[in-house]
Amino acid sequence: MAQKITLKKIAKDLKVSISTVSKALRDSHEISMETRDKIKEYAREFNYKPNSIALSLKNQKTKKIGIIIPEIVHHFFATVISGVERVANEKGYQVIITLSGESFDKEVVNMDMLANGSIDGFIMSLSKETMEKQDFHHLREVTNQGMPVVMFDRVSNDISCDKVIIDDVAAGHEATEFLLRKGRKRLGIISTVDYVNVGRLRSQGFKQALQQRGFEVEDRQFLKIEDIDSCEKDIENFVVNNNFDAIVAVNELFAVMASKALQKAGKKIPEDVAIVAFTDGILSKFASPTLTTIGQNGEEMGGVAAAILIEKLESKNHDNEIYETVIVKTTLIERESTP
Amino acid sequence: MAQKITLKKIAKDLKVSISTVSKALRDSHEISMETRDKIKEYAREFNYKPNSIALSLKNQKTKKIGIIIPEIVHHFFATVISGVERVANEKGYQVIITLSGESFDKEVVNMDMLANGSIDGFIMSLSKETMEKQDFHHLREVTNQGMPVVMFDRVSNDISCDKVIIDDVAAGHEATEFLLRKGRKRLGIISTVDYVNVGRLRSQGFKQALQQRGFEVEDRQFLKIEDIDSCEKDIENFVVNNNFDAIVAVNELFAVMASKALQKAGKKIPEDVAIVAFTDGILSKFASPTLTTIGQNGEEMGGVAAAILIEKLESKNHDNEIYETVIVKTTLIERESTP
DNA sequence: ACATTCTACGAAAACGTTTTCGGTAAAAGA
DNA sequence: TCTTTTACCGAAAACGTTTTCGTAGAATGT
């Protein structure tokens, strides 16, 4: 019902000019106390709030940052968003979220939609399909326009921008070494296909840790999941048919599937088989047994990514071509799945 | 590096007027084929995309919808967002997300930030604190301005707008009746404090179902959780000290806590105690045993909410004061926690 | 009494679009 | 040849701000 109240309307009602109203509301000394008070009271009464679209147009900045992630129904990404949102809000920015659904085309479309002035900068994690195709033209297009991009988790070396990651190799190494120190000798890893960098790198750390201890590393120790929706049988076969005494899983889901399959086969966890998972989500805390995990601190990653992006947005010299890669520390959280 | 390309720039480079460029790009017959082609090719070459901020200002609509939810690291809300995003994107809308963190003040601040022209309409679920205070002035303010609001899940009868909910009473009834039909006689329910409507209503359904079957209902059958972070002990006491043979829990977390406490106490599930949970999330699928749940179909709720909102946004007669409340069907999913 | 400095305000441009309204020239009609 | 239509294009307003500049009148200085 009540019309949107604008400077123009206030000006007309109070019989002053638009500039006077604008200045009065910003407490300009150019306007007499008398008129200032009159205008401010009127504005308060009618609950005037400056139109943010007009401000965006005028200032050539939107105070919004765009996030593109593969999925939101995924604990890790949800925590990252939570972190982004926290620091963004602190600094007066809003967060626009779009989902690629692991699809390259949707990623491109969403980027295009946001890159036309809707936002000031991007925070994103690549879709699986994008990593497979290795096609980054949409990212180049955006960065070439001078719009800052911060990538996290699923990043690419082919594109130069700020990045926030964990040291996946070191984390894979740490998980493995942790199990080895517990005296385990027959290790297996459940990972993703190699083009997903986090899976590849964690596997690499796994391999390194074993080799440093003088173990032979064979292909049968590696299971690489392609499709997350139909991997249950594969995981069951993998853990039951190989006489492992410890399993590393690159995410919670794989870990809990392995855990269940092993228990079904009569194995005891952690006595017979120990398990270390990645991503310290809700599953790890409430599975039976609870899972020892390498926490990725998604909240922190999101916060750091947002801080870097905003820093860049508000820095004066725009041609600052120095990009940083922040490595967020992982945290090993011991629970029941390891002795 | 490369400057943002605008109509003005194209016009200058091609020595025509801005209007000509605009018309040419929209294939106006007022412009000759020759100039049209020239302009369109130039635009394509420099990858011109109309500035969405300018369009928003001109059209007085942003094609963005704002979501305010208590938490994103929560499977149900994540699925709702996913649903909203899906249908919003289909219709050319973008989604802006803000988190209240269950805080009234943050909810108000975020609403104010978005209500100043940033978005065309709201989809929201109330924070716990808001429900406790019963203070809805921020919602009134927004709806009075003529901005459509669609509430879901945590709604209030005090505010008139479109709503998308499940029939919580019926769902509580269904869960209870399901257990009764399985022959269970000593039921308990783990719920939230009463000012959270979903907890209250589901408890109500629980009570009704028991009474219809002629059972006495006592207070000791109800546990009402206030603080989700420190409820583990309460739940353990509740389920262990009362000789229940069946438990209804208003969310997954409570259910899995109950399940673990019971197993620790030597009870078998579902033989000794059966459990039905609400919210068909990841925990229900992977807990041990897996949980029978009442699925709230969050994805669908989000989709419906978005559809209603967009419908309202695009309807011509703006003074349409008829609000609907859509009830999304729940789905009982049987798993191992019930016989 | 005249020049100068304040005080208090308004006009207008700019951000990037779309659209309405004219307007000029050439083509068509008479 | 003169008028009317048509094809093609530009000027300007509008969306809601902020900000620069200009200026009228009052106050101050000499």
Side-chain angles (χ1 to χ4, degrees):
Chain A
M1 191 64 107
Q3 281 282 26
K4 254 297 180 31
I5 185 94
T6 69
L7 288 188
K8 190 196 271 190
K9 207 151 301 184
I10 299 182
K12 201 170 76 177
D13 290 357
L14 261 41
K15 299 191 201 316
V16 291
S17 78
I18 294 179
S19 359
T20 303
V21 179
S22 176
K23 287 173 190 163
L25 292 177
R26 328 192 93 240
D27 261 324
S28 163
H29 60 275
E30 286 185 28
I31 309 298
S32 72
M33 265 302 180
E34 201 184 359
T35 16
R36 238 191 282 181
D37 287 344
K38 186 179 61 179
I39 289 173
K40 284 165 83 172
E41 192 190 317
Y42 192 93
R44 201 165 30 75
E45 185 184 348
F46 289 93
N47 196 28
Y48 169 79
K49 302 270 173 54
N51 181 297
S52 75
I53 295 292
L55 284 177
S56 293
L57 186 59
K58 176 116 190 60
N59 301 333
Q60 295 292 82
K61 57 177 72 168
T62 61
K63 292 285 226 170
K64 298 195 199 334
I65 76 191
I67 297 191
I68 303 185
I69 52 172
E71 272 299 341
I72 200 172
V73 188
H74 189 309
H75 189 268
F76 170 66
F77 287 124
T79 57
V80 173
I81 292 182
S82 187
V84 171
E85 214 264 350
R86 180 175 48 78
V87 346
N89 263 33
E90 270 169 23
K91 313 223 175 185
Y93 282 74
Q94 280 160 11
V95 176
I96 298 190
I97 302 193
T98 64
L99 274 28
S100 65
E102 303 285 14
S103 142
F104 173 78
D105 289 339
K106 249 198 114 184
E107 187 174 294
V108 173
V109 169
N110 283 332
M111 268 199 106
D112 279 350
M113 289 188 65
L114 289 178
N116 305 323
S118 291
I119 59 167
D120 297 337
F122 278 105
I123 291 178
M124 66 182 302
S125 189
L126 295 172
S127 83
K128 219 181 278 182
E129 217 184 333
T130 307
M131 306 212 66
E132 190 175 1
K133 294 178 85 136
Q134 293 278 314
D135 183 344
F136 306 121
H137 79 272
H138 50 311
L139 282 159
R140 293 238 168 64
E141 219 166 75
V142 164
T143 51
N144 283 344
Q145 308 251 79
M147 180 171 289
V149 174
V150 178
M151 303 182 67
F152 71 92
D153 196 52
R154 301 219 207 124
V155 306
S156 164
N157 291 330
D158 290 6
I159 188 94
S160 53
C161 65
D162 296 300
K163 288 159 195 165
V164 182
I165 52 174
I166 63 170
D167 186 340
D168 284 296
V169 178
H173 190 284
E174 183 185 4
T176 311
E177 177 62 22
F178 175 80
L179 290 165
L180 291 172
R181 273 205 306 275
K182 296 281 183 183
R184 305 290 160 142
K185 299 196 177 334
R186 306 182 308 279
L187 276 63
I189 183 167
I190 307 173
S191 173
T192 55
V193 279
D194 274 346
Y195 58 75
V196 179
N197 59 350
V198 299
R200 185 182 66 250
L201 297 173
R202 289 169 195 174
S203 295
Q204 198 175 314
F206 173 82
K207 195 168 167 184
Q208 280 179 12
L210 286 172
Q211 288 173 336
Q212 280 174 19
R213 291 270 198 153
F215 285 90
E216 289 282 310
V217 178
E218 302 170 38
D219 276 354
R220 58 159 198 87
Q221 291 174 268
F222 296 81
L223 174 63
K224 307 198 180 207
I225 301 294
E226 167 106 39
D227 180 12
I228 205 160
D229 290 325
S230 61
C231 60
E232 208 149 356
K233 214 66 199 150
D234 295 336
I235 290 180
E236 183 170 349
N237 289 336
F238 179 69
V239 297
V240 171
N241 298 337
N242 289 285
N243 188 26
F244 297 129
D245 61 7
I247 301 279
V248 175
V250 300
N251 61 45
E252 294 190 300
L253 214 58
F254 295 169
V256 81
M257 284 177 178
S259 169
K260 292 197 132 195
L262 285 164
Q263 292 180 74
K264 207 174 86 182
K267 305 270 190 179
K268 282 211 177 303
I269 295 169
E271 293 81 357
D272 300 330
V273 186
I275 300 178
V276 175
F278 274 80
T279 304
D280 185 45
I282 198 159
L283 269 182
S284 305
K285 292 191 194 78
F286 290 100
S288 297
T290 56
L291 299 174
T292 293
T293 63
I294 302 274
Q296 295 172 76
N297 298 325
E299 227 275 347
E300 188 187 343
M301 287 185 81
V304 171
I308 293 178
L309 182 61
I310 293 174
E311 159 77 26
K312 194 135 282 182
L313 287 176
E314 298 186 345
S315 83
K316 309 301 157 200
N317 61 334
H318 223 13
D319 37 44
N320 186 2
E321 290 286 0
I322 307 159
Y323 299 115
E324 56 178 330
T325 295
V326 174
I327 298 190
V328 170
K329 271 211 305 292
T330 54
T331 323
L332 179 75
I333 299 148
E334 291 193 52
R335 296 209 184 83
E336 299 166 358
S337 69
T338 52
Chain B
M1 190 64 107
Q3 282 281 27
K4 221 35 151 335
I5 185 93
T6 68
L7 289 187
K8 190 195 269 191
K9 206 151 300 182
I10 299 182
K12 202 170 77 176
D13 290 358
L14 260 42
K15 300 191 203 315
V16 291
S17 78
I18 295 179
S19 2
T20 303
V21 179
S22 176
K23 287 174 190 163
L25 292 176
R26 330 192 89 240
D27 261 325
S28 163
H29 60 276
E30 287 185 28
I31 309 298
S32 72
M33 266 302 181
E34 202 183 359
T35 20
R36 237 189 284 180
D37 288 345
K38 187 178 63 181
I39 290 173
K40 285 166 82 172
E41 191 189 319
Y42 192 93
R44 200 166 29 75
E45 185 183 348
F46 288 92
N47 196 28
Y48 169 79
K49 302 269 173 56
N51 180 298
S52 75
I53 295 292
L55 284 177
S56 293
L57 186 60
K58 177 117 192 58
N59 300 333
Q60 295 293 82
K61 57 177 73 167
T62 62
K63 291 286 224 170
K64 298 195 199 333
I65 78 192
I67 298 191
I68 303 185
I69 51 171
E71 273 298 342
I72 200 172
V73 188
H74 189 310
H75 189 268
F76 170 66
F77 287 124
T79 56
V80 173
I81 291 181
S82 186
V84 171
E85 214 265 350
R86 180 176 46 79
V87 346
N89 264 34
E90 270 170 23
K91 313 223 174 185
Y93 283 75
Q94 282 160 10
V95 176
I96 297 188
I97 303 195
T98 65
L99 274 28
S100 66
E102 303 285 13
S103 142
F104 173 77
D105 289 339
K106 250 198 114 185
E107 188 174 294
V108 173
V109 168
N110 282 332
M111 266 200 107
D112 279 350
M113 289 187 66
L114 290 178
N116 306 325
S118 290
I119 59 167
D120 296 338
F122 278 104
I123 292 179
M124 67 182 302
S125 189
L126 296 173
S127 83
K128 221 181 278 183
E129 217 183 334
T130 307
M131 305 212 67
E132 191 174 1
K133 294 178 85 134
Q134 292 279 314
D135 182 345
F136 306 121
H137 78 270
H138 49 310
L139 281 158
R140 292 238 169 64
E141 219 167 75
V142 164
T143 50
N144 282 344
Q145 308 252 80
M147 181 172 289
V149 174
V150 178
M151 303 181 67
F152 72 92
D153 196 52
R154 301 221 207 123
V155 306
S156 163
N157 290 331
D158 289 7
I159 189 93
S160 54
C161 65
D162 296 299
K163 288 158 195 164
V164 182
I165 52 175
I166 63 170
D167 186 339
D168 284 294
V169 178
H173 190 285
E174 182 184 4
T176 312
E177 177 63 22
F178 175 80
L179 289 166
L180 292 172
R181 272 204 307 275
K182 296 282 184 185
R184 306 290 159 142
K185 300 196 178 333
R186 306 183 308 278
L187 276 64
I189 182 167
I190 306 173
S191 174
T192 54
V193 279
D194 274 346
Y195 59 74
V196 179
N197 59 350
V198 300
R200 186 182 64 248
L201 297 173
R202 289 169 195 174
S203 296
Q204 197 175 314
F206 173 82
K207 196 167 166 184
Q208 281 179 12
L210 286 172
Q211 288 173 336
Q212 279 174 18
R213 290 271 200 154
F215 285 91
E216 290 282 310
V217 178
E218 303 169 38
D219 277 353
R220 57 157 200 87
Q221 291 174 268
F222 297 80
L223 175 63
K224 306 196 180 210
I225 301 295
E226 168 106 41
D227 181 12
I228 205 159
D229 290 325
S230 61
C231 60
E232 209 150 355
K233 213 68 200 151
D234 295 336
I235 290 180
E236 184 170 348
N237 290 337
F238 180 69
V239 297
V240 171
N241 298 337
N242 288 287
N243 188 27
F244 297 129
D245 61 6
I247 301 278
V248 175
V250 299
N251 61 44
E252 293 190 302
L253 215 57
F254 296 168
V256 81
M257 283 176 179
S259 169
K260 292 197 136 197
L262 285 164
Q263 291 181 74
K264 207 173 85 183
K267 304 270 190 179
K268 283 212 176 303
I269 295 171
E271 294 81 357
D272 300 329
V273 186
I275 299 178
V276 175
F278 274 80
T279 305
D280 185 45
I282 200 159
L283 270 181
S284 304
K285 293 191 194 76
F286 291 100
S288 297
T290 56
L291 300 174
T292 293
T293 63
I294 303 274
Q296 294 172 78
N297 299 323
E299 226 275 346
E300 188 187 343
M301 285 186 82
V304 171
I308 292 178
L309 182 61
I310 293 173
E311 159 76 25
K312 194 135 284 184
L313 287 176
E314 297 186 344
S315 83
K316 309 302 157 199
N317 62 333
H318 224 11
D319 37 42
N320 187 2
E321 290 286 0
I322 309 158
Y323 300 116
E324 55 178 330
T325 294
V326 174
I327 298 189
V328 170
K329 270 209 307 289
T330 55
T331 324
L332 179 75
I333 299 147
E334 291 193 51
R335 295 211 182 83
E336 299 165 358
S337 68
T338 52

